[in-house]
Amino acid sequence: MTERSCLSIVLAAGEGTRMKSATPKVLHQVAGLPMVAHVVKAAQGAGGGDLALVIGFGADALRAAAQSFAPKADIFVQEQRLGTAHAVLSAREAIARGYDDILVMFGDTPLVEADALSAAREGLAQGAGVVVMGFRTENPSGYGRLIEKDGALAAIREDKDCSEAEKRITLCNSGLMAISGKHALALLDQVGNDNAKGEYYLTDIVALARKAGLKVVATEASFENALGINNRAELAAAEAIWQARTRRAMMLSGVTLIAPETVFFSHDTEIAPETIIEPNVYFGPGVKIEAGAKIHAFCHLEGATIGPKADVGPFARLRPGADLREKAKVGNFCEVKKATVEEGAKVNHLTYIGDARVGAGANIGAGTITCNYDGYSKFFTDIGAGAFIGSNSSLVAPISIGERAYVASGSVITENVPDDSLAFGRARQKTLPERARQLREMRASAAKK
Ligand code: UD1
Ligand code: CA
């Protein structure tokens, strides 16, 4: 769009008592990311420039969390919550630096989209002093109403201050606003608190801008953009909308979802085209999947990288640091943590691979366990390329199994196995001919007495 400078102000001072939580409301998560971080992401997507975060309740927790989702933000503490205009003015120092555009957003509207923010900024670029993002709803109770006069936006009236006629208006204020940086402080400083709630309303700047002869316009966005979350039921509703949006975007980008409504993504899930995700798969944060991979039903994945044409599940759990290379296979009831499974290696059934490398083409038999933990420290298991681990073996780390080595089934391996060697780590079998029959006869005659 433009080279216009921009300051994005995110209001996040509220306590959110209806969440019934010690965690500040805006830190509750949608798709594994705090709501306020979704808002920040949307602002960044709209070229939102510098960021100011207005916090109050739970300031310490918010400050700490902001380190990861908005490390460069200016943080302002609003000591007393006197209204949305008062909250914006907490960032006075940032506004005074002089920006072309000021974007104001609420931290509890996680579904706001970059496009809607861009549209509001576009209004400023075309000469408006204030742009209000409106939305329509058949149930407008609680929202500020957009009051239009002669086809132009004249004022915003808060629900509690509306007349009966005004209450029937269905065009509402989402809360999101774009304000010309040149006029922002002058307008905000004129806002008073003579209203039903005794608060300094940001919405009052609409009428004030009109009085000052500035152009004021309303854009219309979808309801989701305006969806403010107040309790955990609404949080779940936002999650559902986010998931539905993401499933659709994934499918349109070339990912097959057989039963999309049963697959749950994280905010940062990356999946290349030509992949197939079967039903009931859950993505925690940090998963990346390359082209041609297949994820079978009922897998739980987090912090994992899945290489091209790899095959996972059904019923597999990949934990942080799982790194599956091209055509690797991790099958049913297997868990992989902090381990590389190299090209074409197979970990097919009932196995735990943790703190390990499984070399290319190696075959790990059913029930194999890397014993990586002694109750104090974690140790590494290195399995060479082409090795074959017989079923039900325990590899006691630190340990290394050489290339093309062979471990007999049922072994407990505590010493390194060199390349091309065969290792038995189990008792030798002893067979006593006819002994079973004798035992049976002895027991039967003892029982008769
Ligand atoms: C606000 C709007 C209303 C709009 C609605 C959309 C105003 C006056 N009203 O009403 O027109 O339809 O949002 O959801 O702007 N906050 C602070 N400090 C404060 C007050 C609020 O940080 O002193 C934050 C809150 O944490 C919240 C946001 O600003 O994230 C909105 O405040 P809230 O009190 O919920 O406003 P509403 O009454 O919902
Ligand atoms: Ca609200």
Side-chain angles (χ1 to χ4, degrees), residues 11-14 54 78 80-84 86-87 106-108 142-144 156 158 173-175 197 199 201-203 226:
L11 306 189
V54 177
Q78 185 194 20
Q80 274 180 298
R81 300 214 309 124
L82 303 180
T84 44
H86 181 262
F106 295 166
D108 62 357
Y143 292 107
I156 302 177
E158 288 307 295
N173 175 28
S174 69
K197 278 167 112 182
E199 285 187 0
Y201 289 161
L202 174 63
T203 44

Side-chain angles (χ1 to χ4, degrees), residues 103-166:
L103 266 181
V104 178
M105 288 154 283
F106 295 166
D108 62 357
T109 56
L111 301 176
V112 66
E113 287 176 302
D115 285 355
L117 299 174
S118 294
R121 288 193 65 197
E122 188 55 36
L124 294 182
Q126 288 173 10
V130 176
V131 182
V132 174
M133 186 168 94
F135 69 100
R136 287 210 185 262
T137 169
E138 287 313 306
N139 199 355
S141 163
Y143 292 107
R145 310 296 204 285
L146 303 194
I147 312 287
E148 291 178 300
K149 242 179 225 144
D150 309 323
L153 182 60
I156 302 177
R157 193 95 68 237
E158 288 307 295
D159 190 57
K160 285 195 169 154
D161 302 299
C162 279
S163 68
E164 281 310 311
E166 287 167 343

Side-chain angles (χ1 to χ4, degrees), residues 13-140:
E15 177 177 358
T17 46
R18 283 171 283 172
M19 296 301 278
K20 307 269 164 65
S21 176
T23 301
K25 175 167 81 171
V26 296
L27 290 184
H28 284 262
Q29 300 184 340
V30 169
L33 189 72
M35 290 196 272
V36 60
H38 282 273
V39 177
V40 167
K41 231 170 140 178
Q44 283 161 350
D50 293 343
L51 187 69
L53 208 54
V54 177
I55 65 176
F57 178 82
D60 292 344
L62 262 157
R63 234 184 248 285
Q67 289 298 320
S68 60
F69 67 79
K72 290 190 197 141
D74 284 318
I75 294 184
F76 299 93
V77 178
Q78 185 194 20
E79 301 288 354
Q80 274 180 298
R81 300 214 309 124
L82 303 180
T84 44
H86 181 262
V88 173
L89 276 173
S90 308
R92 178 188 291 277
E93 195 188 304
I95 300 170
R97 285 199 291 259
Y99 291 89
D100 295 321
D101 300 350
I102 309 285
L103 266 181
V104 178
M105 288 154 283
F106 295 166
D108 62 357
T109 56
L111 301 176
V112 66
E113 287 176 302
D115 285 355
L117 299 174
S118 294
R121 288 193 65 197
E122 188 55 36
L124 294 182
Q126 288 173 10
V130 176
V131 182
V132 174
M133 186 168 94
F135 69 100
R136 287 210 185 262
T137 169
E138 287 313 306
N139 199 355

